[in-house]
């Protein structure tokens, strides 16, 4: 946008009007006497702006292709007749352009007069913010009056809100739509520039908006002229960002005024890692604007990052430390000093009584790298053991194991820009439009340009079929059969000799390849046998394999639907096998790309949050690595791996594990088999929860330390493409300390001599001890915006694409991927298979998004069930149903849909009153203990009310949430 405030601390970005040309050939022209050289194909508008000459514009923005409808960007070109639009006219060698003359000024002023005549109350502050691009252009052209009056057919008299003609001329008037919780749409201010429509189509790819009517009756409408909140709009904010008037504007800005300052920071939701300008008025964030220079999002956003930041100031947030002796006691608010001393004293008492290994910690995938590093350091240096784990244990730990085994590195191979050169996408076990929507928009754009997509998923996700996007193959496999389908695809590639022998001989272990070929060539893995196991068509398997192997650049994208299985690690290795066999590594448009779920789950793994690894994925048993930290920290470190999360809970129920420090994770809601998690927590003598809210885990806590939001801290996040992004403090911590400071204070209370004054110093320590981060510093990130690890002497500006000159481990390692059916199978008692996932408007356990306007779209978890299964059970849409498994049961309402196959049901886990994980089992991945969330045998039937577990849980919630001096702490 072209809005510029008079506040020096407001971050502004130049809008060049049209996108940058990627041509290699250059052209030199003159604009208002200034010589400028630009790439061929550049518009005159952009060239002028690059020369420092701003041409008025309304329908143009550099986020969209030129349109040429507003007629205010006209210019004169020597030697040509007329006044062409600068946005649609490309530059030419030797061209001489004039952007200002008496004729141009008169034309522009006349055009603006016509716009104003049909704009409510003319223009200026009474029409909205007074700071829109429309207001800016009106001032640029010198418009101070208009000859046509302001009695336009769209107008409402401001004093009484009556439509034109005392209410009789309503044919063109449309009432303001305030149905969306975040933005308002005032059709009377719409100038029909189509920027919003084009943003919805070209940037977001939803096609939810259109122009309805002709002439004066033309207006932008959502879907079939529906209220925004009920339409197909996904509230990504692209239309609001694109609107040059105040027709579409954020409610917070309309209510509180334009921002006074802004800070560029990184979103704290999913693993895409979008950059935003957090815009502030006073000490309150009034808007999150996508940052065009953000290398992960390029100025786009989703409903969560763009709008769902209100949790930071929600009334439920706990701002004072609290302690209690027993979980049935009311919480007692105390000082930070008292809380930290109590926690430290309890941890020392427990270790003295039960042994050094009786306590541990859990790091957060929502906190910064620096904060995560400090927690694992606290455990290793302060607790004297390796009992540290992170939420990646229950999501992408198989990614680390599988990719490290085959390729030698525990992360994805590409940057997000790589998708622009993909010809074939193989998407398995991921739903990007809901879980990674900004990247999904880029996928959809590439698909509209002609790329093809193969979707392997039990559900019919949006990328199977949505406006202008259709998967060439959808393989709706039975839950739990990922390894079978991947081995079946490999069978076709090998037996039909579609593999890239040259690449394999150069980059991979040929002996391992031959062994793998022998394995996958077995008739047990032919398409017919695979189809029988997976429940899909054999010929479709053949066609999908052939397309991936021969269709050009093949890119694999996968998510938790691959990793959260008993064979999660095997499936990840199966994906790497396919990429190596076809040579789809080491260049743009290819690769094996895990779509990480949380904002810093990659970083939490990188920072040494696993009980067997130091930062940089170096095993604790390696003497030389351990020596680095022993010399730096001044202690002798344990060389034996510690306990994983599930091991900690097992040990707690056995009586040998008695204390835990949990930073920013809600294991009671997010981890499987909720009853077992609850039993483990209940058996501990000191549970310290460090979080924003009294989450589900806090029911069993004895000490609560208030956390800080991403807006209240400095640090870094690492996204799914290994990109290290700066997180910058926007406002001061509301609870006194940023999370890294609170952890440092706990370490000091335990007797450790920590004296960090800024997170940059923590990153310096990480860089000094971790080879893959050796070149990383806050100064570098400030200069470059972001970098992707490895970042060191060999790659001083980072590594966007891995394995370019060879696979990191030396030679690619093909691994046999024997399919072993999960023990969790359907039968007469539990005939359906449950799989779980996320939805666009909610995030993870919902602690943040449930405290925002996003709950308008998803107020509860629903159980998706196929019409046939519902009819067999007498279930109606919206009816309460009982969902039961071998582990437990819960109730929720049914959503009848053919998105799921017969025999499969699906739900989300965002709402604690559902407690979906009371149903999931303790089955885990064979290599990493990642839980098998995606396959649970269940039965579904009508229900009259909550289960006994839900009633007991609610009773416990009431007892454990009491705060002395308060009626109750809301969740």
């Amino acid at each position: 946008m072209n809005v510029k405030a008079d506040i020096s601390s407001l971050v502004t970005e130049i809008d060049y009007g049209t996108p940058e040309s990627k041509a290699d050939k250059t052209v030199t022209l003159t604009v208002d006497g200034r010589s400028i050289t630009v790439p061929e194909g550049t518009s005159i508008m952009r060239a002028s702006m690059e020369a420092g000459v701003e041409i008025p514009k309304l329908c143009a923005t550099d986020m969209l292709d030129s349109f040429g409808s507003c007629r205010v960007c006209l210019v004169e070109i020597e030697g040509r007749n007329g006044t062409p639009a600068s946005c649609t006219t490309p530059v030419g060698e030797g061209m001489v352009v004039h952007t200002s003359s008496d004729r141009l000024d008169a034309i522009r002023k006349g055009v603006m007069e016509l716009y104003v005549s049909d704009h409510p109350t003319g223009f200026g502050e009474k029409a909205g913010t007074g700071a829109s691009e429309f207001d800016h252009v009106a001032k640029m052209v010198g418009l101070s009056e208009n000859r046509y009056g302001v009695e336009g057919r769209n107008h409402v008299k401001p004093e009484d809100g009556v439509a034109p003609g005392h209410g009789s001329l309503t044919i063109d008037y449309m009432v303001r739509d305030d149905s969306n919780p975040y933005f308002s749409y005032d059709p009377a201010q719409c100038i029909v520039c189509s920027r919003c429509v084009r943003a919805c189509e070209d940037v977001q790819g939803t096609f939810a908006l259109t122009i309805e009517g002709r002439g004066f009756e033309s207006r932008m409408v959502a879907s079939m002229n529906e209220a925004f909140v009920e339409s197909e709009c996904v509230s990504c904010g692209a239309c609001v960002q694109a609107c040059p008037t105040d027709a579409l504007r954020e409610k917070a800005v309309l209510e509180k005024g334009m921002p006074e300052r802004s800070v560029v920071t990184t979103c704290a939701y999913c693993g895409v890692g979008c950059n935003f300008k957090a815009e502030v008025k006073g000490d309150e964030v009034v808007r999150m604007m996508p940052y065009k220079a953000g290398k992960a999002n390029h100025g786009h956003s989703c409903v969560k990052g763009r709008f769902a930041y209100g949790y930071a100031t929600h009334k439920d947030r706990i701002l004072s430390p609290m302690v209690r002796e027993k979980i049935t006691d009311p919480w007692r608010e105390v000082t930070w000093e008292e809380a930290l001393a109590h926690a430290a004293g309890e941890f020392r008492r427990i270790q003295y009584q039960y042994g050094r290994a009786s306590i541990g910690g859990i790091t957060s995938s929502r906190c910064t790298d620096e904060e995560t590093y400090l927690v694992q350091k606290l455990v290793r240096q302060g607790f004297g053991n390796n009992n540290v784990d992170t939420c990646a244990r229950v999501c992408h730990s198989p990614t680390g194991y599988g990719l490290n085994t085959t390729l030698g590195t525990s992360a994805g191979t590409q940057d997000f820009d790589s998708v622009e050169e993909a010809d074939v996408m193989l998407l398995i076990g991921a739903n990007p439009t809901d879980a990674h929507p900004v990247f999904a928009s880029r996928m959809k754009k590439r698909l509209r340009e002609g790329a093809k997509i193969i979707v392997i998923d039990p559900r019919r996700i949006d990328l199977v079929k949505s406006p202008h996007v259709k998967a060439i193959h959808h393989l709706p496999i039975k839950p739990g059969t990922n390894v079978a389908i991947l081995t079946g695809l490999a069978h076709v590639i090998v037996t039909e000799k579609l593999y890239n022998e040259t690449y394999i001989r150069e980059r991979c272990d040929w002996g391992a390849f031959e062994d793998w070929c022998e394995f996958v060539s077995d008739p047990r893995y032919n398409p017919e046998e695979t189809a029988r196991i997976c429940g899909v068509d054999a010929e479709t398997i053949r066609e999908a394999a052939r397309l991936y192997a021969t269709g050009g650049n093949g890119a694999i994208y996968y998510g938790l639907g691959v990793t959260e299985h008993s064979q999660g690690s095997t499936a990840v290795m199966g994906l790497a096998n396919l990429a190596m066999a076809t040579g789809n590594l080491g260049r743009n448009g290819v690769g094996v790309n895990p779509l990480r779920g949380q904002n810093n789950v990659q970083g939490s793994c990188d920072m040494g949050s696993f009980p067997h690894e130091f930062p940089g994925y170096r095993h604790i048993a390696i003497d030389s690595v351990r020596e680095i930290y022993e010399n730096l920290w001044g202690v002798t470190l344990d060389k034996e791996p510690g306990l994983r999360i599930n091991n900690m809970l097992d040990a707690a129920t056995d009586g040998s594990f008695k204390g835990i420090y949990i930073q920013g994770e809600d294991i009671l809601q997010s981890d499987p088999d909720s009853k077992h998690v609850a039993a483990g927590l209940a058996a501990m003598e000191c549970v310290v929860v460090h979080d924003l809210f009294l989450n589900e885990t806090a029911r069993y806590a004895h000490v609560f330390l208030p956390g800080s939001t991403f807006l209240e801290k400095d640090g870094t996040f690492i996204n799914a493409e290994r990109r290290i992004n700066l997180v910058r403090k926007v406002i001061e911590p509301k609870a006194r300390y940023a999370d890294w400071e609170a952890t440092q204070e706990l370490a000091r209370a335990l007797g450790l001599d920590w004296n960090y004054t800024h997170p940059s110093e923590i990153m310096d320590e990480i860089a000094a001890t971790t080879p893959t981060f050796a070149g990383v510093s806050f100064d570098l990130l400030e200069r470059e915006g972001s970098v992707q690890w490895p970042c060191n002497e060999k790659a001083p500006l980072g590594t966007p694409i891995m394995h370019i000159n060879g696979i990191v481990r030396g030679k690619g390692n093909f691994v046999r991927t024997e399919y072993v059916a999960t023990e969790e199978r359907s039968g007469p008692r539990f005939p359906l298979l449950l799989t779980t996932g996320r939805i666009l408007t909610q995030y993870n356990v919902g602690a943040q998004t449930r405290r925002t306007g996003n709950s308008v779209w998803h107020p509860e978890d629903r159980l998706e069930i196929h019409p046939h299964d519902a009819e067999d059970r007498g279930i109606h849409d919206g009816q309460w149903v009982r969902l039961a498994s071998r582990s437990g049961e819960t109730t929720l309402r049914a959503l009848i849909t053919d998105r799921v196959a017969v025999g499969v049901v699906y739900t989300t886990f965002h709402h604690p009153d559902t407690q979906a994980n009371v149903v999931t089992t303790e089955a885990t991945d064979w290599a990493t203990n990642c839980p098998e969330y995606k396959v649970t045998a269940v039965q579904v039937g009508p229900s009259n009310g909550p289960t006994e577990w839900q009633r007991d849980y609610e009773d416990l919630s009431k007892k454990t949430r009491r705060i002395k001096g308060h009626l109750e702490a809301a969740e």
Side-chain angles (χ1 to χ4, degrees):
M1 294 179 66
N2 248 1
V3 177
K4 294 185 179 180
D6 296 326
I7 306 296
S8 60
S9 59
L10 191 65
V11 177
T12 58
E13 293 183 275
I14 296 173
D15 187 341
Y16 292 93
T18 60
E20 182 181 12
S21 170
K22 296 181 180 180
D24 294 326
K25 184 179 178 181
T26 59
V27 171
T28 300
L29 69 157
T30 301
V31 179
D32 289 350
R34 305 181 189 185
S35 178
I36 179 73
T37 299
V38 295
E40 188 177 52
T42 301
S43 70
I44 290 176
M45 176 179 285
R46 185 178 184 97
S48 298
M49 199 65 179
E50 291 186 10
V53 178
E54 181 180 4
I55 299 174
K57 63 185 185 300
L58 287 173
C59 72
T61 174
D62 56 14
M63 291 285 288
L64 303 168
D65 290 335
S66 57
F67 197 59
S69 70
C70 73
R71 314 311 295 171
V72 296
C73 73
L74 309 179
V75 295
E76 294 174 334
I77 303 173
E78 290 188 8
R80 295 191 189 182
N81 294 326
T83 53
S86 62
C87 65
T88 57
T89 305
V91 297
E93 182 64 41
M95 181 181 281
V96 178
V97 178
H98 300 284
T99 69
S100 180
S101 69
D102 291 342
R103 178 168 69 151
L104 290 173
D105 292 347
I107 292 172
R108 289 174 183 153
K109 185 177 290 188
V111 170
M112 287 303 295
E113 279 188 279
L114 290 170
Y115 278 126
V116 166
S117 71
D118 202 37
H119 215 254
T121 68
F123 54 92
E125 294 183 7
K126 292 182 180 179
T129 62
S132 70
E133 289 184 64
F134 186 85
D135 300 311
H136 176 66
V137 172
K139 293 174 185 175
M140 281 188 71
V141 302
L143 186 64
S144 58
E145 61 179 358
N146 97 71
R147 294 165 291 172
Y148 308 112
V150 292
E151 297 297 323
R153 291 163 63 187
N154 286 314
H155 294 190
V156 176
K157 293 185 177 180
E159 61 271 15
D160 55 16
V162 177
H166 302 287
S168 61
L169 301 179
T170 58
I171 184 169
D172 297 334
Y173 175 69
M174 294 169 60
V175 297
R176 180 191 293 266
D177 180 359
D178 287 320
S179 63
N180 189 286
Y182 299 121
F183 61 83
S184 177
Y185 172 45
D186 182 3
Q189 297 192 62
C190 176
I191 60 172
V192 200
C193 66
S194 295
R195 269 169 63 165
C196 57
V197 176
R198 290 181 287 140
C200 188
E201 295 175 356
D202 298 344
V203 178
Q204 169 57 29
T206 296
F207 293 82
L209 308 181
T210 190
I211 301 296
E212 181 183 75
R214 296 173 65 87
F216 275 107
E217 300 172 20
S218 301
R219 289 294 172 273
M220 181 275 288
V221 297
S223 296
M224 300 297 289
N225 201 353
E226 302 168 33
F228 260 93
V229 76
E230 298 170 356
S231 72
E232 296 166 306
C233 169
V234 295
S235 297
C236 68
C239 60
V240 183
Q241 184 179 353
C243 182
T245 72
D246 284 316
L248 286 162
R249 188 59 60 227
E250 300 90 346
K251 288 181 176 179
V253 170
L254 292 174
E255 293 167 3
K256 299 170 184 175
M258 292 295 288
E260 299 165 340
R261 63 182 179 88
S262 57
V263 178
V264 176
T265 191
T266 304
C267 179
Y269 279 116
C270 80
V272 173
C274 298
N275 288 142
F276 282 88
K277 294 179 292 183
E279 298 186 339
V280 182
K281 185 170 186 179
D283 61 352
E284 185 177 4
V285 175
V286 296
R287 181 165 65 184
M288 296 290 287
M289 286 292 287
Y291 189 46
K292 289 194 296 184
K295 296 178 183 178
N297 60 317
H298 298 289
H300 191 36
S301 61
C302 79
V303 61
K304 294 188 285 289
R306 179 73 155 91
F307 296 117
Y309 54 85
Y311 67 89
T313 55
H314 195 276
K315 62 181 178 62
D316 289 354
R317 191 169 166 193
I318 304 297
L319 300 178
S320 298
M322 301 187 297
V323 298
R324 60 185 175 185
E325 297 301 318
K326 304 190 300 292
I327 66 170
T328 53
D329 292 342
W331 283 105
R332 179 169 55 89
E333 292 183 347
V334 298
T335 64
W336 271 98
E337 290 75 15
E338 183 178 347
L340 292 166
H342 180 79
E346 282 295 282
F347 284 151
R348 287 303 187 214
R349 175 191 67 79
I350 289 170
Q351 286 190 303
Y352 179 80
Q353 185 173 350
Y354 299 102
R356 188 178 64 184
S358 60
I359 63 174
I362 297 177
T363 73
S364 175
S365 292
R366 294 196 293 277
C367 290
T368 64
D369 296 312
E370 295 74 17
E371 290 162 343
T372 300
Y373 177 85
L374 288 191
V375 173
Q376 65 86 31
K377 179 178 179 178
L378 174 71
V379 171
R380 293 189 161 108
Q381 182 190 20
F383 293 176
N385 61 50
N386 290 306
N387 294 338
V388 62
D389 211 348
T390 188
C391 89
R393 172 68 54 212
V394 300
C395 59
H396 270 286
S397 51
T399 286
Y401 182 91
L403 294 184
N404 189 55
T405 300
T406 52
L407 304 177
T409 184
S410 299
T413 63
Q414 314 293 118
D415 61 5
F416 288 146
D417 289 351
S418 172
V419 75
E420 296 176 2
E421 297 184 38
D423 299 308
V424 178
M425 302 176 206
L426 175 59
L427 178 67
I428 176 169
N431 186 8
T433 56
D434 281 26
H436 305 86
V438 171
F439 181 64
S441 293
R442 301 189 69 181
M443 295 176 76
K444 289 190 286 185
K445 183 174 183 179
R446 180 61 185 148
L447 292 170
R448 293 195 302 273
E449 293 170 347
K452 297 178 175 64
I453 188 168
I454 302 161
V455 177
I456 303 176
D457 198 287
R459 294 175 73 231
R460 191 185 71 248
I461 61 174
D462 286 350
L463 285 175
V464 172
K465 187 176 182 181
S466 56
H468 301 277
V469 169
K470 186 176 182 180
I472 192 164
H473 299 299
H474 176 213
L475 286 75
I477 61 173
K478 294 177 183 177
T481 61
N482 289 335
V483 171
I485 195 69
L486 294 175
T487 308
L489 294 172
H491 176 93
V492 175
I493 291 170
V494 168
T495 57
E496 296 187 9
K497 299 190 183 303
L498 304 178
Y499 51 83
N500 187 331
E501 183 174 341
T502 300
Y503 178 90
I504 296 166
R505 287 188 178 277
E506 289 178 357
R507 305 290 181 95
C508 303
D509 184 322
W510 184 255
F513 172 70
E514 289 183 311
D515 179 72
W516 178 73
C517 282
E518 180 184 356
F519 164 73
V520 299
S521 298
D522 192 300
R524 291 182 298 154
Y525 305 116
N526 67 37
E528 284 69 29
E529 284 299 305
T530 302
R532 182 185 60 80
I533 295 169
C534 300
V536 294
D537 178 65
E539 192 56 32
T540 303
I541 296 173
R542 286 191 175 88
E543 292 173 358
R546 292 164 182 161
L547 177 61
Y548 172 72
T550 65
N553 287 338
I556 295 171
Y557 296 99
Y558 71 93
L560 303 183
V562 166
T563 58
E564 292 178 342
H565 286 277
S566 59
Q567 282 198 286
S569 294
T570 309
V572 173
M573 292 187 287
L575 292 171
N577 288 340
L578 292 178
M580 291 187 292
T582 55
N584 278 310
L585 286 170
R587 63 182 187 278
N588 279 321
V590 298
V592 184
N593 305 281
L595 297 177
R596 299 273 186 165
Q598 297 198 57
N599 55 298
N600 201 36
V601 67
Q602 180 68 59
S604 69
C605 299
D606 298 339
M607 293 300 109
S609 293
F610 290 132
H612 66 291
E613 289 177 332
F614 286 117
Y617 305 97
R618 293 164 296 163
H619 201 281
I620 60 171
I622 301 173
D623 293 341
S624 59
V625 177
R626 207 167 56 255
E627 185 178 343
I628 294 171
Y629 294 98
E630 289 179 336
N631 292 336
L632 181 64
W633 297 346
V635 295
T636 299
L637 297 174
D638 193 341
K639 64 180 180 180
E640 294 298 324
L643 300 176
R644 297 170 175 177
I645 292 176
N646 56 309
N647 302 138
M648 295 181 201
L649 295 169
D650 291 341
T653 57
D654 291 343
S656 60
F657 189 86
K658 291 294 186 177
I660 192 167
Y661 170 45
I662 305 174
Q663 184 182 75
E665 290 297 336
D666 191 0
I667 61 173
L668 184 56
Q669 188 176 343
S670 64
D671 284 28
D673 195 353
S674 300
K675 291 181 180 179
H676 179 62
V677 177
L681 291 169
M684 297 185 200
E685 296 181 7
C686 183
V687 174
V688 178
V689 168
H690 186 183
D691 217 307
L692 301 174
F693 306 102
L694 279 176
N695 59 22
E696 306 310 301
T697 304
R699 284 156 172 67
Y700 294 92
H702 305 89
V703 180
F704 184 90
L705 303 179
S708 58
T709 71
F710 76 108
L711 297 169
E712 301 164 19
K713 63 180 72 172
D714 291 300
T716 56
F717 292 152
I718 302 176
N719 73 351
E721 50 171 359
R722 297 170 283 104
R723 185 177 302 282
I724 309 168
N725 270 314
L726 279 173
V727 180
R728 296 179 177 90
K729 183 165 67 174
V730 179
I731 55 178
E732 290 300 315
K734 293 184 178 297
R736 181 175 168 182
Y737 290 130
D739 293 331
W740 68 270
E741 294 174 301
T743 302
Q744 174 163 271
E745 292 303 318
L746 178 58
R748 287 172 171 171
L750 286 163
L752 301 179
D753 185 22
W754 289 11
N755 294 289
Y756 303 105
T757 61
H758 190 270
S760 61
E761 298 171 1
I762 306 171
M763 178 55 76
D764 290 343
E765 183 173 316
I766 295 166
T769 55
T770 311
T772 49
F773 284 76
V776 180
S777 68
F778 276 41
D779 288 341
L780 174 70
L781 297 175
E782 288 285 1
R783 290 196 308 271
E784 299 299 323
S786 63
V787 296
Q788 292 168 264
W789 67 259
C791 178
N792 46 33
E793 186 176 352
K794 292 181 179 178
L797 296 181
T799 311
I801 307 294
M802 298 284 282
H803 314 296
I804 291 178
N805 298 316
I807 292 174
V808 169
R809 73 182 304 274
K811 292 288 187 179
N813 180 33
F814 286 88
V815 178
R816 290 187 174 218
T817 53
E818 183 78 48
Y819 168 65
V820 179
T822 174
E823 294 180 2
E824 186 66 12
R825 303 176 189 179
S826 57
R829 187 180 172 198
F830 300 106
L832 304 175
L833 289 178
L834 168 71
T835 187
T836 61
R838 299 179 180 180
I839 199 165
L840 170 65
T841 54
Q842 296 289 352
Y843 172 70
N844 203 25
V845 297
Q848 294 154 269
T849 45
R850 282 186 283 109
R851 293 177 171 90
T852 70
N854 283 24
S855 290
V856 167
W857 292 285
H858 191 74
E860 61 182 338
D861 293 321
R862 301 283 294 272
L863 182 73
E864 292 187 6
I865 185 169
H866 192 276
H868 294 333
D869 291 325
E871 185 176 2
D872 287 346
R873 290 160 176 78
I875 294 171
H876 307 290
D877 192 60
Q879 181 179 356
W880 286 97
V881 296
R882 173 178 170 269
L883 176 67
S885 73
R886 296 177 179 90
S887 295
E889 60 182 46
T890 188
T891 58
L892 67 171
R893 292 199 300 148
L895 177 63
I896 298 177
T897 175
D898 62 359
R899 272 183 177 261
V900 292
V902 174
V904 176
V905 292
Y906 169 89
T907 191
T908 52
F909 55 93
H910 305 301
H911 293 268
D913 49 359
T914 303
Q915 281 292 308
N917 280 326
V918 76
V919 176
T920 53
T921 71
E922 287 189 271
T924 63
D925 172 52
W926 63 271
T928 65
N929 285 134
C930 182
E932 190 170 49
Y933 292 107
K934 303 304 182 185
V935 188
T936 305
V938 296
Q939 178 59 288
V940 178
S943 173
N944 292 324
T947 64
E948 182 179 355
W949 161 260
Q950 287 172 302
R951 288 192 295 267
D952 292 345
Y953 190 82
E954 181 61 26
D955 290 342
L956 178 64
S957 297
K958 292 177 181 178
K959 292 177 182 177
T960 58
R961 279 210 183 116
R962 294 170 297 154
I963 301 176
K964 191 173 183 179
H966 299 258
L967 291 176
E968 185 178 6
E971 201 280 336

